[in-house]
Amino acid sequence: MALLNQWIPRWFNSIKLNSFITSTQHRNCFLRSGKTLLHEFSAQPRMSSDNFFLQWGFKTYRTSSIWNNSSQSTISIRQENNSAQNTVLPSVNEQALKTQKIPNFDSELSLEGLDTVPPLSPLQPISEEEAVQILADPPLPPVSFTLRDYVDHSETLQKLVLLGVDLSKIEKHPDAANCLLRMDFEKDIKQILLFLKDLGIEDRQLGPFLTKNYAIFSEDLENLKTRVAYLQSKNFNKADITQMVRNAPFLLNFSVERLDNRLGFFQKELELSAKKIRNLVVRLPRLLTGSLEPVKENMKVYRLELGFKRNEIQHMITKIPKMLTTNKRKLTETFDYVHNVMSIPHHVFVRFPQVFNTRLFKVKERHMFLTYLGRAQYDPAKPNYISLYKLVSMPDEVFCEEIAKASVQDFEKFLKTL
């Protein structure tokens, strides 16, 4: 009986222990399914096994009653949760089906579909950080007085600058500047540049040439070739044409009819042979591009006012073609001083027409210095003759040493007395 009394409490405690472990397992399962935390057991401090069983021995009835109530409530709560999950949450099979129905954008979206994706709206709001990261080119000004604002946006202007074209001179002509902005370098300009290169214009000469004759870009290439062919038909060789185009950039802008009329005018007015006309035009191609009024007026001045004969005029302009375009006032003043003050006759002018191409004050200074020294003698029949050509063409050092027989310092001191 005593042995039985010892084993009954032990057996009873072991049963309660097993029921406690089982209830704990159920409770942990309930906590995992409900995603909630219970702090009753986790907040209790650890205790030894003897004390643990001792407390359960004293609270047997209370523990069993509490556990029965808690187990029943637990079962009811689990049933409610299961029913709620059945009504709210999809089943495993449904989740699997939905998982299969989710499209794979990496595999199903092709490159063709990317083209049909609508672009982002420009009105879509963005953050300040994204706005700061946007790099946008400054907008082109609708109106500007300079081509500098368009150089960064125009390939044509950029390449013209590399060729040495001075855009600051072209922009003074608004129509020409607007025309350049509309041109395409490959279609409109490149072929003209190749034509000029074939004609003999060097790379270093293209910049100054195009700065003066920017209008050549608006000319038809076939018309330019036709004008060159016309000059060749008049026995101008390639070197002559290159020199003429280089010195008179607007030459090729003239039509064949106009070039032919100019050549015919000089041949009729000057009564020179075709060879001399070609030589005259090659040396001064501005005769074909400039106005004819100064030429007509100067021819009258030489004949009527200065008293030169036709053959004398022909001889002088053959040597100095610029005499045809020299200012009328300069011609008359130079002739008046040299002929009336220095007593130079007409035939000396014919031999040395360079005097008409010299600044008048230079002639006056040297003649007065020679007169001061007593060496102003221009008659070839007398001793100490001084050529009119040497008088006007030599530099000051040579003039003082060879003609005046004086030093440059003496000449400069004399000039201060004037």
Side-chain angles (χ1 to χ4, degrees), residues 103-119:
N104 187 357
F105 291 97
D106 294 337
S107 60
E108 293 181 3
L109 187 59
S110 61
L111 294 177
E112 296 178 355
L114 292 177
D115 297 336
T116 60
V117 175

Side-chain angles (χ1 to χ4, degrees), residues 98-145:
K98 289 185 177 181
T99 304
Q100 294 177 0
K101 292 180 181 179
I102 295 175
N104 187 357
F105 291 97
D106 294 337
S107 60
E108 293 181 3
L109 187 59
S110 61
L111 294 177
E112 296 178 355
L114 292 177
D115 297 336
T116 60
V117 175
L120 294 177
S121 173
L123 301 178
Q124 183 177 357
I126 59 175
S127 63
E128 294 183 0
E129 292 77 6
E130 294 175 343
V132 172
Q133 295 177 358
I134 295 177
L135 298 178
D137 295 331
L140 289 176
V143 179
S144 178
F145 295 98

Side-chain angles (χ1 to χ4, degrees), residues 127-341:
S127 63
E128 294 183 0
E129 292 77 6
E130 294 175 343
V132 172
Q133 295 177 358
I134 295 177
L135 298 178
D137 295 331
L140 289 176
V143 179
S144 178
F145 295 98
T146 176
L147 290 174
R148 180 180 58 186
D149 298 333
Y150 302 95
V151 172
D152 293 337
H153 307 276
S154 174
E155 179 186 4
T156 299
L157 296 182
Q158 293 174 6
K159 292 187 176 181
L160 289 178
V161 171
L162 293 177
L163 289 174
V165 178
D166 190 354
L167 298 181
S168 63
K169 295 182 179 180
I170 299 179
E171 66 189 15
K172 296 178 181 178
H173 308 276
D175 294 337
N178 293 332
C179 183
L180 283 181
L181 287 175
R182 296 191 209 97
M183 286 185 176
D184 181 81
F185 185 84
E186 295 294 332
K187 296 180 181 179
D188 305 323
I189 295 181
K190 184 177 181 180
Q191 56 183 356
I192 303 296
L193 295 178
L194 294 177
F195 168 76
L196 295 176
K197 289 281 293 179
D198 294 338
L199 196 61
I201 305 298
E202 300 177 0
D203 294 341
R204 59 183 177 83
Q205 299 169 343
L206 284 175
F209 178 88
L210 296 176
T211 300
K212 296 179 180 179
N213 187 16
Y214 47 81
I216 195 173
F217 294 129
S218 60
E219 296 287 338
D220 184 72
L221 182 60
E222 295 301 324
N223 292 338
L224 296 176
K225 293 181 180 179
T226 302
R227 293 159 192 171
V228 172
Y230 167 77
L231 294 175
Q232 292 175 346
S233 68
K234 295 299 180 179
N235 295 326
F236 290 95
N237 55 42
K238 185 177 181 180
D240 294 338
I241 298 175
T242 301
Q243 181 178 347
M244 292 166 61
V245 172
R246 186 187 302 117
N247 296 331
F250 294 97
L251 178 64
L252 295 181
N253 294 42
F254 288 76
S255 63
V256 172
E257 293 77 10
R258 191 170 183 179
L259 292 175
D260 187 70
N261 292 335
R262 290 297 180 93
L263 291 175
F265 166 80
F266 286 111
Q267 191 167 8
K268 180 181 178 180
E269 185 72 20
L270 303 179
E271 298 180 357
L272 296 174
S273 63
K275 182 178 180 180
K276 290 184 178 180
I277 291 293
R278 283 196 300 270
N279 182 53
L280 187 69
V281 170
V282 170
R283 295 171 61 189
L284 190 64
R286 289 187 291 115
L287 293 174
L288 298 178
T289 60
S291 175
L292 296 179
E293 292 303 321
V295 177
K296 296 177 181 179
E297 189 174 5
N298 286 348
M299 292 298 295
K300 293 180 180 180
V301 170
Y302 289 131
R303 288 196 303 264
L304 302 178
E305 296 186 22
L306 305 184
F308 288 99
K309 300 178 181 179
R310 180 171 293 275
N311 61 338
E312 294 176 338
I313 298 173
Q314 292 174 344
H315 181 79
M316 288 190 296
I317 63 176
T318 302
K319 284 189 174 182
I320 310 295
K322 195 176 179 181
M323 289 178 57
L324 290 171
T325 58
T326 303
N327 182 267
K328 175 185 175 181
R329 181 179 177 181
K330 179 182 179 181
L331 285 177
T332 55
E333 289 180 353
T334 301
F335 179 82
D336 180 68
Y337 184 84
V338 175
H339 180 68
N340 297 324
V341 177

Side-chain angles (χ1 to χ4, degrees), residues 365-367 369-370 386 390-392 394-406 411:
E365 290 175 352
R366 293 188 175 186
H367 171 69
F369 184 60
L370 292 176
I386 297 177
K390 292 182 179 181
L391 178 68
V392 300
M394 288 185 174
D396 290 341
E397 294 79 5
V398 179
F399 165 75
C400 293
E401 182 179 355
E402 296 184 4
I403 298 177
K405 306 299 181 181
F411 181 57

